[in-house]
Amino acid sequence: NLFDLFERIFETVEITTNPGIETVFEPKTFTNEGYGYSIDHPKNWHRSHYGKLNDIALDVAGFDPNPLLGPPVEYLGLVSVNILDKRTTEVSAELQKNLQNIKIDPFPMKNGMKATYLSGELPPDGLNMGASNKLIFVFFQRNQKAWVLQAVGPTPDQEKIFNQMVESFKFTN
């Protein structure tokens, strides 16, 4: 199921922190013309567009301060944009079954688009080795598909960058 994919991603990631990371970044824009969206990311971050991963994950793009290896490696990046062939309510319900300390709020978008913020933690299992087990998702719904922006184990500064990336997200067609 979808949660198993996110959990495998989290279990295989080795999270490194950079104490000098900036919370205001010089943007570089990634545009996906096929699915009609754009998002700004830090200019010095690496980007990988994975495309379709399976019948549910129709399109995935990953962003990370470190080079990305891509599939079949499970870690898709500190931040990823996932277009899923499911409604946001279905995706959110699946994730909530397996997370603890869940927080759900509207995410205020400057451009007037409506989004939902969901954060939670994976239950401790000893695999994290001190790394954050926090997952953050911001959901958009368009054309019966869930557009999910995700951050895996962000530090507080990386969470600020994630929020800036989410604020820059827009549909282009």
Side-chain angles (χ1 to χ4, degrees):
N1 76 22
L2 181 64
F3 184 78
D4 290 337
L5 171 66
F6 288 126
E7 188 173 48
R8 286 194 320 270
I9 289 168
F10 187 79
E11 287 175 355
T12 60
V13 62
E14 179 180 327
I15 297 172
T16 59
T17 59
N18 177 353
I21 197 164
E22 295 181 18
T23 57
V24 177
F25 60 84
E26 183 178 346
K28 182 174 182 179
T29 302
F30 169 70
T31 301
N32 182 319
E33 293 183 16
Y35 279 92
Y37 73 89
S38 69
I39 187 169
D40 291 343
H41 61 90
K43 185 177 180 179
N44 60 340
W45 279 26
H46 301 269
R47 177 191 58 80
S48 188
H49 183 222
Y50 304 111
K52 184 174 182 174
L53 295 183
N54 55 46
D55 289 340
I56 295 173
L58 303 177
D59 193 77
V60 177
F63 306 88
D64 198 271
N66 301 304
L68 293 165
L69 301 175
V73 174
E74 301 276 341
Y75 179 62
L76 301 175
L78 175 70
V79 174
S80 62
V81 177
N82 307 273
I83 302 168
L84 307 175
D85 196 14
K86 286 190 169 199
R87 297 188 56 77
T88 57
T89 52
E90 294 174 85
V91 176
S92 176
E94 266 188 59
L95 292 169
Q96 290 179 56
K97 289 178 192 174
N98 298 289
L99 295 174
Q100 57 189 27
N101 301 321
I102 296 171
K103 178 182 172 186
I104 302 174
D105 288 306
F107 189 93
M109 295 289 291
K110 294 177 183 173
N111 61 12
M113 289 186 350
K114 293 183 180 180
T116 302
Y117 171 97
L118 182 150
S119 69
E121 298 172 354
L122 292 172
D125 60 8
L127 297 175
N128 302 4
M129 295 182 232
S132 170
N133 59 349
K134 184 175 186 177
L135 297 173
I136 303 172
F137 305 91
V138 175
F139 299 94
F140 299 90
Q141 180 75 39
R142 186 176 193 208
N143 300 329
Q144 304 299 314
K145 298 190 179 8
W147 301 65
V148 183
L149 282 66
Q150 166 191 328
V152 177
T155 65
D157 282 345
Q158 290 168 337
E159 189 170 340
K160 290 176 186 174
I161 289 173
F162 172 73
N163 289 338
Q164 289 176 283
M165 291 176 70
V166 171
E167 288 173 2
S168 77
F169 179 85
K170 63 184 172 190
F171 294 111
T172 57
N173 61 16

